[in-house]
């Protein structure tokens, strides 16, 4: 059987985050890369939501999506913005609660099917 933790560690290398931040991927298709960076910077800029709030959202999503690169990047970003470890952990708990609820609510589909199949 495949040990997922070692498989993930074989793929994830912290120094690769620097390659992303340095724009190495932009060499593969500069126009799309530039469009992404423009979109990303506009979305993450101060708006109706503060940059701090957006960083907490990003940190929570990073955990929900299990992206080690994003977790590294947004943990650092949140700390740089002066967010406390308690605020950051609360955001992670929000993501966790959402994932639990999302998993449970899909049980409605199962219940509907059971109700339909049971005469």
């Amino acid at each position: 059987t495949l040990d997922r933790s070692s498989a993930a560690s074989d793929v994830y290398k912290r120094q690769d985050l620097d390659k992303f931040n340095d724009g190495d991927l932009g060499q593969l298709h500069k126009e799309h890369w530039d469009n992404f960076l423009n979109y990303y910077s506009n979305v993450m800029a101060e708006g109706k939501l503060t940059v701090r709030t957006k960083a907490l959202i990003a940190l929570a999503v990073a955990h929900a999506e299990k992206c080690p690169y994003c977790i590294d990047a947004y943990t650092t970003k949140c700390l740089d913005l002066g967010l406390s470890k308690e605020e950051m952990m609360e955001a992670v708990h929000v993501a966790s609660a959402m994932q639990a609820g999302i998993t449970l609510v899909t049980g409605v589909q199962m219940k509907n099917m059971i109700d339909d199949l049971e005469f």
Side-chain angles (χ1 to χ4, degrees):
T1 63
L2 177 63
D3 178 0
R4 290 188 181 277
S5 61
S6 67
S9 65
D10 289 344
V11 173
Y12 171 71
K13 294 175 180 58
R14 187 179 191 113
Q15 65 271 21
D16 286 345
L17 184 56
D18 292 332
K19 292 178 184 177
F20 180 81
N21 290 333
D22 292 341
D24 277 6
L25 289 178
Q27 296 172 6
L28 299 176
H29 198 295
K30 184 165 176 27
E31 182 182 358
H32 287 334
W33 180 253
D34 290 345
N35 287 337
F36 166 74
L37 290 180
N38 184 52
Y39 172 74
Y40 180 86
S41 64
N42 285 326
V43 167
M44 297 307 285
E46 195 82 17
K48 299 293 182 187
L49 297 175
T50 66
V51 169
R52 287 170 54 102
T53 299
K54 291 178 181 187
L56 279 174
I57 292 168
L59 181 66
V61 171
H63 280 81
E65 293 295 321
K66 299 168 187 63
C67 176
Y69 299 104
C70 300
I71 292 167
D72 278 4
Y74 281 96
T75 297
T76 302
K77 177 76 169 178
C78 286
L79 291 171
D80 288 348
L81 290 170
L83 290 153
S84 70
K85 60 186 175 188
E86 293 82 10
E87 289 171 305
M88 293 163 59
M89 195 67 224
E90 189 171 334
V92 172
H93 278 286
V94 170
S96 178
M98 287 296 299
Q99 285 192 310
I102 289 165
T103 300
L104 287 171
V105 77
T106 58
V108 170
Q109 310 312 333
M110 176 191 65
K111 174 94 171 53
N112 288 343
M113 189 171 225
I114 290 168
D115 292 347
D116 288 347
L117 295 173
E118 290 181 337
F119 305 113

